Amino acid sequence: MPTTATTQLGADQNTAPRRRPGGAVLGAALLGFFVITLDALVVNVALPSIRDSLGGGITGLQWVVDGYTLMFAALLLSAGSLTDRLGARRTFGTGMAVFAVASVACALAPNLGLLVGARLVQGAGAAVIVPSSLALIREAFPDAGQRAKAISLWALGGSAGSAAGPVAGGFLSQIDWRLIFFINLPVGVIALLLLAHTRLSPRSKQTGFDWTGQLSAVVAMGSLTFAAIETGADGFTAPHVLFSYALAVIAAMVFVLAQARGKNPMVPLALLRSRTMALASGIGFALNVGFYGMIFLLSLYLQQAKGMTALATGLAFVPMTVFTAFVRPTAAWFAARFGPRMPVITGQAAMVVGLVLLAVVPSSAPTWLLIVLMVPVGAGGSLAVPALTSLLLDHVPAERAGTASGVLNTSRQVGGALAVAVFGALAADRTQFTEGLHTSLAIAALAVLITTAASFLLRPPPAPDMRPVGSRA
């Protein structure tokens, strides 16, 4: 199906320019997803080393993780809208440059406060990279079949980042934890060089920016995350915790009103009313609750309770991440063979099984058993996410690709941020860390189980002559 931008370019520019940059576009998008996924996981294994170097308890470590994830989630909505307005190529390049510079700032941070601040900027860059990378693919691959394969390869970049993250974090933190941030610089430079060789059509929409929506989204997510983290440290009834929860609710209400009545909403109401959008957002939220919640807790558990080194902990995640990397490319085939809904359901079911088994395994269980039980959690997510993303993008026209992917990935990042905040609070409140671990994993399993059942309501992609967004989704 030709996009709006393609129609305007005409026949001469719709052949060669569309085919030549496909490899470079996919390479840049893949590297972008690789480096932000690597950064999300490489830090978890290095947390004890960061604490030994810069100080801080579990609350400080939660902010090292959630500072990145929070800004990632809070800015994804506007980043998707910005991509649709300014064009994917320009937006992706800006996001990658910001991410690389912020990575260097993280590596040079002299204290925990500045590290968290640099992580916030990193998250802002990552927020721009994700929707713009998907929009790049949407523009370069107008054919639905080719686009599904390209998205699977894009997702493979995330799998590679997941596989490399724990090992790189464990190995580099044995030398100096600051190296885990320096490695982002060469990857960012290569991605920018690939982007320079693309010739996608520029697209710019001179419309206003939804400042009310963006600010209210940041306040709502930030307040909620802060309240969840501080609940573990000071209790639910602490005045500043109650105030933060109340502020999150008020800001969320302001956001909804801004989208309903604003002149330039970040997320059109038609998209918010879409069944596919709502279901995909809920599924993405639950998947990240299970995956990133497990990674955060087990990274600490293996080092604190099992006495493993950072490198050994990183290696413990290798079977899961390597298996995940092998599963991810099969998502496109699975979706083509059985329809996109089936890998979404199957992947979530596998994650539920893994989380339940991890939640009930006794503390005396050998480490190898924990390593084995991580595999279905990671593999299930890697099977579900590409099919879920492809199904969503098939329901929206190209001009809404950035916004739709921004909404989906916002829900995923919010899920990861809240998992770290809430599960960290549960672990901090328990006299025994293992109790908090098992309770948290049980909660994650329940969340994924609920969205697994809801996934049966997902509809197949519309026909090529689909109506405007919101009418058939």
Side-chain angles (χ1 to χ4, degrees):
M1 183 189 73
T3 65
T4 302
T6 306
T7 304
Q8 293 173 347
L9 283 174
D12 292 339
Q13 292 178 313
N14 193 29
T15 54
R18 278 283 172 181
R19 297 186 180 185
R20 281 200 301 266
V25 166
L26 183 57
L30 186 152
L31 284 176
F33 195 36
F34 165 83
V35 75
I36 63 175
T37 305
L38 173 76
D39 216 71
L41 293 177
V42 74
V43 173
N44 284 279
V45 179
L47 288 176
S49 298
I50 294 174
R51 179 183 56 199
D52 293 341
S53 175
L54 302 180
I58 190 169
T59 300
L61 297 181
Q62 285 174 285
W63 276 114
V64 172
V65 177
D66 271 353
Y68 174 81
T69 310
L70 173 61
M71 291 304 291
F72 197 162
L75 297 180
L76 267 173
L77 290 176
S78 58
S81 179
L82 191 66
T83 297
D84 291 337
R85 285 170 167 81
L86 302 181
R89 186 173 182 271
R90 182 188 308 173
T91 310
F92 180 87
T94 301
M96 183 59 72
V98 169
F99 184 88
V101 172
S103 296
V104 175
C106 288
L108 299 177
N111 55 59
L112 193 62
L114 290 179
L115 174 60
V116 172
R119 289 282 284 168
L120 291 171
V121 180
Q122 254 195 325
V128 174
I129 290 172
V130 171
S132 59
S133 66
L134 282 170
L136 278 173
I137 293 174
R138 183 66 174 83
E139 290 183 27
F141 299 91
D143 177 75
Q146 293 180 352
R147 184 168 61 250
K149 295 178 181 178
I151 289 174
S152 292
L153 291 175
W154 170 84
L156 183 61
S159 297
S162 298
V167 180
F171 175 74
L172 294 176
S173 62
Q174 295 283 92
I175 304 171
D176 189 339
W177 63 265
R178 299 178 187 276
L179 294 175
I180 68 176
F181 296 111
F182 275 127
I183 60 175
N184 295 335
L185 186 59
V187 179
V189 170
I190 295 173
L192 290 173
L193 289 175
L194 286 172
L195 187 69
H197 288 83
T198 64
R199 292 295 182 270
L200 290 177
S201 58
R203 184 174 64 207
S204 179
K205 297 180 181 179
Q206 299 301 321
T207 56
F209 188 76
D210 183 11
W211 288 107
T212 302
Q214 178 58 85
L215 292 175
S216 59
V218 172
V219 172
M221 296 179 193
S223 299
L224 182 59
T225 303
F226 176 82
I229 290 177
E230 293 300 314
T231 296
D234 300 323
F236 181 80
T237 58
H240 66 282
V241 172
L242 293 176
F243 174 79
S244 296
Y245 280 122
L247 183 60
V249 172
I250 294 173
M253 294 173 62
V254 171
F255 175 80
V256 173
L257 288 175
Q259 304 315 293
R261 301 180 180 180
K263 294 182 179 180
N264 303 288
M266 292 190 298
V267 185
L269 285 181
L271 196 62
L272 289 176
R273 288 192 296 262
S274 163
R275 173 191 291 187
T276 301
M277 186 77 262
L279 289 172
S281 298
I283 294 167
F285 178 92
L287 287 171
N288 272 31
V289 165
F291 183 73
Y292 285 104
M294 181 198 71
I295 294 290
F296 175 76
L297 290 170
L298 288 183
S299 294
L300 295 175
Y301 177 74
L302 292 175
Q303 295 180 70
Q304 294 179 2
K306 293 290 188 178
M308 297 173 61
T309 65
L311 178 57
T313 300
L315 293 173
F317 288 101
V318 168
M320 178 193 70
T321 53
V322 169
F323 195 85
T324 294
F326 279 104
V327 169
R328 181 96 40 161
T330 68
W333 174 86
F334 200 170
R337 180 69 176 83
F338 300 102
R341 188 175 66 173
M342 187 56 63
V344 174
I345 295 172
T346 304
Q348 290 179 93
M351 181 175 282
V352 170
V353 171
L355 289 170
V356 169
L357 293 176
L358 284 170
V360 300
V361 70
S363 57
S364 58
T367 302
W368 67 262
L369 181 58
L370 297 177
I371 294 174
V372 170
L373 296 180
M374 293 182 208
V375 172
V377 178
S382 70
L383 182 63
V385 170
L388 183 67
T389 304
S390 181
L391 187 149
L392 175 62
L393 292 184
D394 285 342
H395 276 80
V396 301
E399 62 269 18
R400 293 297 187 199
T403 301
S405 61
V407 172
L408 172 61
N409 285 286
T410 293
S411 66
R412 292 182 61 202
Q413 295 307 314
V414 169
L418 288 181
V420 171
V422 174
F423 295 170
L426 288 172
D429 279 344
R430 305 286 179 173
T431 56
Q432 294 184 353
F433 184 86
T434 305
E435 289 186 47
L437 175 93
H438 288 168
T439 301
S440 299
L441 293 173
I443 293 173
L446 178 61
V448 181
L449 180 62
I450 292 172
T451 56
T452 302
S455 299
F456 287 93
L457 298 176
L458 287 170
R459 296 175 179 174
D465 60 342
M466 62 181 175
R467 287 170 277 175
V469 61
S471 60
R472 294 188 58 169

